[in-house]
Amino acid sequence: MRASPISPTVDFSAEGVQHGFLRLPYSRDDSAWGSVMIPVSVVKNGEGPTALLTGGNHGDEYEGPIALFDLARSLKVEEITGRVIIVPAMNYPAFLAGTRTSPIDKGNMNRSFPGAPNGTVTQKIADYFQRMLLPLADIVLDFHSGGRTLDFLPFCAAHILPDKAQEAKAFELVHAFGAPWSMKMLEIDAVGMYDTAAEEMGKIFITTELGGGGTATAKSAGIAKRGVTNLLKSAGILNGAAQTGQTVWLDMPDGNCFSFAEDGGLIEPLVDLGDTVKTGDAVARIYPVGRTGIAPQEIRAKMDGILAARHFPGLVKPGDCVSVVAAVVPA
Ligand code: CA
């Protein structure tokens, strides 16, 4: 396969702290020989495991970028053993635009793997992670939040995997991350995801959903910052012991956890994030807004559990994910 068009301005094998860019040539109207300059930091000290840390896979999710811009400026080489590679905003054009997908090609980074070196801008970035960065990593943390259209309980997550040893190591790191909730996560559509690419390569992959609505809170940013530090400590890369508190384990056992809108309209939440629901309980109403006098559609829970995610904006469209219910795993 042809070489990636991306050239890093850092040397991933060099010792010390480096701040630079993944430079991707992008010729366009306002810059004939221009480039997309994706910020990257690498901190390396001797032999040890490599952690690859990413945020901004979706451009409207902020806890990851906050935690990783902060970590990149503060991580000191003498504090670590091994290597930390930090890309705070993976889909950088999407991050700059404040949108889930790239304004250049509408590319959804998390549906673009394995990518292509001769594809669109988003596919070229995915290809670089697939063939250059993931192979360097032992553990991979990719931060997500709900973005502008979803809102989540703050949780760290990993997937049920065919390789049970790999799965156990991932859940161990989820526990170490120390978010208030920890999720055994089911994907609606795992094809093309960065998660799947990393897991198929045998990497220990964990992710998060830490709030949403297209913004961050002091609390959610704090969870992200503490979590990434805990992860690096637990992996033996960062000196010191992880400050892991209590976490509640949640499970998404099957597709019954998701509810989707069949009609558009005005959404009335009937339960809030973290509230307990039983099978058949109405979790939201959707009012048709074309005229008055029409009964709302009720969205009902299809399993027992707690509300783990909700649609965020006040208006909903047909097909939107309205709610996610997760089962509480007994302690
Ligand atoms: Ca996301």
Side-chain angles (χ1 to χ4, degrees), residues 57-58 60-61 100 110 143-147 152 208-209:
N57 177 325
H58 292 131
D60 60 350
E61 304 175 3
R100 180 175 182 81
N110 227 21
F143 277 106
H144 285 257
S145 301
F152 283 87
T208 68
E209 297 288 358

